[in-house]
Amino acid sequence: MSTGQRIITAITITLLASAALGQVGYWPLAEGNTWTYVSDGGQSETLLVTEQIPIFGHSAWVVDYPESSWNEPLENYWSEGPDGQVYLHGFWRDDQGGWGYLYEPPVLFVDAPLAVGDTWSTTYDTYQLPGEIFDEQRTITLTAVEFGTYVVPAGEFEAFGVGYARQAVLERAGRQYSLTGEALEPGGRDAGHWWSLGVGRIRYHVTDALQLESYMIGTVATEARSWSGIKNLFNE
């Protein structure tokens, strides 16, 4: 077994052990975790987990966009549920004088375990930033619309495609933004997200279609392998 295979096997042991405890989710959140995405048009975006902060009594991870063709002044706030759920707590952008929203309760962005056809809703209050000023109450409904094996620059991954059954778009200064604060294509629909267990988003649509080019979970850079491929390697 090569050094690379031993590294992947070590990662697999950790993931499988965590899965047995119900701790593997669709958005691995820990300080230093990094994902880089590219588009067919040559644009790119990097996401970096930086720290935990309190939001309305919840502990949320800050996901920063240190490099982005559209969203460099952006950070958004996430947490994981006990069964791998993904919750969105809001976002902050430094453009236009600085603005954002917080959500209470946090929006259930990915339910878990996922199955095609699953639909879930969150009714939540929005608070404008700065100042945490109450804005309005909204309801968002999402659904797992597809499952498959997808090839992106980082490799081949099994993933669920999650879409908005009831679209939610924020508007400011004549532009549209998703609930995560990402800029959307004018006149376009909100982002579609493809989530891979233990990896995170492998594809999503904002101003352009972005695909995962590389990622790092913990302190070990991951190789281009699908979740099923990693499990098969462990059994070799």
Side-chain angles (χ1 to χ4, degrees), residues 77-159:
Y77 314 117
W78 302 86
S79 65
E80 299 176 274
D83 297 316
Q85 302 95 328
V86 178
Y87 292 93
L88 174 66
H89 296 256
F91 71 90
W92 171 261
R93 295 184 64 102
D94 281 335
D95 58 351
Q96 302 177 43
W99 66 283
Y101 285 91
L102 297 180
Y103 311 130
E104 178 58 27
V107 174
L108 179 56
F109 218 70
V110 179
D111 204 355
L114 282 174
V116 174
D118 284 356
T119 298
W120 59 94
S121 298
T122 306
T123 297
Y124 58 99
D125 294 332
T126 63
Y127 294 83
Q128 295 182 25
L129 294 174
E132 295 183 10
I133 303 167
F134 175 78
D135 183 45
E136 63 178 339
Q137 185 176 85
R138 291 180 168 223
T139 296
I140 182 175
T141 301
L142 296 105
T143 182
V145 296
E146 63 184 31
F147 174 79
T149 300
Y150 303 90
V151 178
V152 296
E156 182 179 284
F157 300 88
E158 293 176 353

Side-chain angles (χ1 to χ4, degrees), residues 165-190:
R166 185 178 301 166
Q167 189 176 7
V169 173
L170 301 169
E171 296 189 5
R172 183 180 177 91
R175 292 212 60 181
Q176 291 187 335
Y177 299 86
S178 70
L179 289 185
T180 57
E182 294 162 332
L184 298 174
E185 180 182 359
R189 292 189 58 81
D190 209 344

Side-chain angles (χ1 to χ4, degrees), residues 45 64-75 93:
E45 189 155 84
D64 188 27
Y65 290 57
E67 297 179 11
S68 174
S69 299
W70 311 276
N71 296 304
E72 190 168 338
L74 171 66
E75 63 182 29
R93 295 184 64 102

Side-chain angles (χ1 to χ4, degrees), residues 1-11 223 225 233:
M1 181 180 292
S2 69
T3 300
Q5 287 177 317
R6 285 195 296 271
I7 291 173
I8 292 298
T9 300
I11 294 171
E223 295 186 3
R225 294 184 183 272
L233 176 62

